Amino acid sequence: STRMFPFFLLPFLGLGLFDFAWDRRRTKGELLLLASTAPVLSFLLFFVQERYIGAVLPLLLIWTAHGLERWSAWLIDTMGRLRGGRSLAAGWRAFLISLPVALLVGLFIFMLPRVAAGTSLGSFRAAHREAGLWLAQNGEPGVTVMSRYPAVAFHAGASWAPAPNAEADEVLAYARSHGARYYVLDERETDKMRPQLKKLVNGPGVTGLRRLTEWGDAGKKIIIFEVESP
């Protein structure tokens, strides 16, 4: 994935791992690093999203950085041999060491706008912060806010209850059982993940969830409900 670990880094990763034979110490170290990926890669058995396996990135970068170091060493040695075994000046050595890194940095900068344009912000929306700030100013202090997004409760200065993926009446019962005073619904949830809650967006709604306010954000509504006592 260009957003996580671009394919063109794989040759450097392979070079970092297999440029020369491993001794016992190196083998133990690499096996330890490989074993550290087991908890993260267990997600492959269930459901995969990029952020779930993001913890593997530092490990991949270790191997990739080592591959860059080996390529730099190859450049320096090759240039020395082409010069009949004469050692390179310090300036040339520094240039050949920095060249691979400079090439990759330049490529990353070139790709950045394209990667950014194709990257969804997902759950991170300014509208969730605005909903939390609205509740901080207009809601009761020290209550619990139920939402799929913990950022709402965070900015409201409230406790958070995660919203269940259930029918609307079950959502209401869940909110009451967890002592939630407010329920914040992002219309985007109802497009694919929770279509059964579409009626809370367009009405008639559910008795017990009183609509307090709403506003549009990127063509989708953010709705704040008050959870009324039974």
Side-chain angles (χ1 to χ4, degrees):
S1 168
T2 55
R3 293 191 295 269
M4 298 285 284
F5 193 82
F7 69 91
F8 55 78
L9 294 180
L10 290 176
F12 300 107
L13 188 150
L15 184 62
L17 274 173
F18 307 119
D19 180 55
F20 50 83
W22 298 355
D23 55 20
R24 289 188 176 182
R25 180 178 180 277
R26 173 83 186 276
T27 301
K28 290 179 180 179
E30 299 297 357
L31 291 178
L32 178 62
L33 291 175
L34 284 170
S36 72
T37 67
V40 179
L41 296 183
S42 65
F43 280 114
L44 297 175
L45 300 175
F46 305 102
F47 178 69
V48 178
Q49 287 190 349
E50 289 174 338
R51 65 179 183 269
Y52 295 168
I53 57 176
V56 179
L57 284 177
L59 175 58
L60 300 181
L61 292 177
I62 290 173
W63 288 331
T64 302
H66 187 57
L68 282 170
E69 185 271 333
R70 297 308 304 163
W71 189 32
S72 297
W74 172 82
L75 283 175
I76 292 172
D77 189 39
T78 298
M79 292 298 294
R81 291 174 183 270
L82 291 175
R83 289 165 50 87
R86 291 177 295 168
S87 60
L88 293 174
W92 277 107
R93 291 177 63 87
F95 171 76
L96 293 176
I97 289 174
S98 60
L99 179 61
V101 176
L103 289 174
L104 280 182
V105 170
L107 187 56
F108 281 136
I109 293 174
F110 174 77
M111 292 179 58
L112 188 59
R114 191 171 146 197
V115 172
T119 300
S120 171
L121 294 179
S123 300
F124 301 97
R125 302 179 67 194
H128 299 156
R129 177 176 179 270
E130 294 173 10
L133 293 177
W134 188 93
L135 285 170
Q137 295 177 357
N138 300 280
E140 296 181 18
V143 298
T144 298
V145 174
M146 186 176 75
S147 176
R148 184 173 182 267
Y149 311 99
V152 176
F154 174 81
H155 289 290
S159 300
W160 175 59
N165 187 355
E167 295 295 334
D169 56 341
E170 295 173 323
V171 169
L172 174 61
Y174 186 91
R176 286 171 172 169
S177 68
H178 285 73
R181 182 62 172 163
Y182 301 102
Y183 171 42
V184 180
L185 176 65
D186 186 334
E187 185 181 0
R188 293 198 312 176
E189 300 175 50
T190 67
D191 290 339
K192 294 182 179 180
M193 294 182 291
R194 304 177 179 190
Q196 74 277 10
L197 298 179
K198 198 73 175 178
K199 61 182 178 181
L200 293 179
V201 177
N202 301 319
V206 171
T207 302
L209 289 176
R210 184 168 69 90
R211 188 181 301 238
L212 292 180
T213 187
E214 65 179 64
W215 60 88
D217 176 73
K220 299 294 182 180
K221 295 178 182 177
I222 302 290
I223 308 168
I224 299 180
F225 297 93
E226 181 182 8
V227 180
E228 297 179 321
S229 300

